[in-house]
């Protein structure tokens, strides 16, 4: 490790100290019984002292557990003991849906408390999905503004358009849009108009048709089969980005 430190110092490259619940030192497991948040923090402090003893302070700390509560408790405790930057994440969080939920809870709680400097979402999924979830967390917390925030309603008895496939297709097509926008796709005339007006662009569904809103103003009434296409066309005009493919 001393050679790594010397090379990092020479090149002025930061080093991340990563403590993982799956590889906590044996003596700490014996002391605490299992990888508790106290064990993770004590392990991290050992590594921090080693780097400090070698006169190297360009470090960042990560405390990774697959348990959300342990992750939150670990970072909270270490934040009381050091001012080094933190790299947040819930490790081995699982598949796309369950992993996104665990990551949003663990990372989101800490960011709301002002803890954390960088983050990684760890999913059993493609790296692009990890990036999408990470950006979605930051966007939901208003910490970063990039891409589309998609607002859509649950399907209830008031829904009057075929909402689920429309929203699924919209989400897939809008995933790579860079312009920060709020887009609403609502299925009824009760809450739909209010949400659609609050969005940059929105649809409020009705019986066999829907109303397109832009920046709070009603634009036009559109037949249901044309709603999504009309919405996407409006978004392309607003962003200057290509959203629809020739097959969409």
């Amino acid at each position: 490790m001393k050679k790594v430190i010397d090379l990092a110092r020479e090149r002025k490259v930061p080093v991340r100290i990563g403590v993982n619940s799956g590889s906590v030192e044996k003596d700490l497991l014996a002391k605490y019984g299992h990888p508790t948040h106290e064990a993770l923090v004590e392990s991290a402090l050992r590594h921090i002292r080693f780097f400090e003893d070698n006169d190297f302070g360009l470090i960042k700390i990560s405390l990774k557990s697959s348990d959300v509560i342990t992750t939150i408790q670990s970072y909270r405790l270490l934040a009381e003991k050091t001012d080094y930057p933190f790299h947040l994440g819930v490790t081995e969080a699982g598949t796309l849906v369950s992993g996104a939920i665990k990551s949003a809870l663990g990372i989101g709680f800490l960011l709301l408390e002002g803890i954390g400097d960088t983050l990684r979402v760890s999913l059993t999924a493609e790296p692009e999905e990890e990036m999408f979830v990470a950006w979605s967390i930051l966007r939901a917390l208003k910490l970063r503004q990039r891409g589309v925030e998609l607002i859509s309603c649950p399907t209830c008895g008031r829904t009057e358009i075929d909402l689920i496939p429309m929203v699924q297709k919209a989400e897939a097509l809008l995933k790579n849009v860079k312009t920060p926008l709020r887009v609403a796709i609502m299925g009824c005339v009760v809450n739909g108009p209010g949400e659609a007006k609050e969005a940059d662009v929105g649809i409020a569904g009705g019986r066999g048709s829907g109303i397109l809103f832009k920046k709070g103003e009603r634009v036009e009434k559109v037949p249901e089969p044309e709603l999504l296409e009309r919405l996407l066309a409006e978004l392309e005009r607003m962003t200057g980005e290509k959203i629809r493919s020739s097959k969409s």
Side-chain angles (χ1 to χ4, degrees), residues 41-192:
V41 169
E42 188 168 336
S43 176
L45 291 172
R46 284 182 180 179
H47 294 294
I48 290 170
R49 282 193 295 270
F50 176 81
F51 278 82
E52 290 177 339
D53 289 345
N54 283 274
D55 195 29
F56 189 85
L58 193 58
I59 57 176
K60 177 182 291 186
I61 318 299
S62 68
L63 301 170
K64 298 292 188 73
S65 172
S66 58
D67 180 75
V68 173
I69 302 301
T70 300
T71 298
I72 293 171
Q73 291 174 331
S74 298
Y75 282 105
R76 282 175 173 170
L77 181 59
L78 189 60
E80 297 173 0
K81 300 177 181 297
T82 183
D83 292 324
Y84 288 113
F86 291 165
H87 179 67
L88 303 183
V90 178
T91 195
E92 298 137 9
T95 54
L96 181 56
V97 174
S98 62
I101 293 169
K102 291 172 71 174
S103 296
L105 286 169
I107 295 170
F109 260 100
L110 291 165
L111 289 175
L112 279 174
E113 294 179 1
I115 297 173
D117 301 275
T118 59
L119 64 91
R120 160 77 192 280
V121 171
S122 301
L123 304 175
T124 309
E126 296 298 328
E128 293 84 358
E129 298 290 359
E130 294 181 333
M131 290 294 295
F132 181 73
V133 173
W135 271 104
S136 297
I137 293 170
L138 294 173
R139 186 170 57 242
L141 294 173
K142 302 294 190 290
L143 294 174
R144 293 288 187 276
Q145 295 299 312
R146 187 181 80 171
V148 173
E149 179 184 5
L150 184 58
I151 310 300
S152 62
C153 59
T155 54
C156 68
R158 297 192 301 264
T159 304
E160 297 190 278
I161 59 175
D162 194 9
L163 189 66
I164 293 175
M166 185 184 298
V167 172
Q168 289 175 337
K169 186 174 183 180
E171 182 179 51
L173 290 170
L174 297 174
K175 185 173 284 189
N176 294 319
V177 172
K178 301 295 189 297
T179 306
L181 287 172
R182 184 181 174 94
V183 176
I185 302 178
M186 304 295 292
C188 77
V189 297
V190 179
N191 296 322

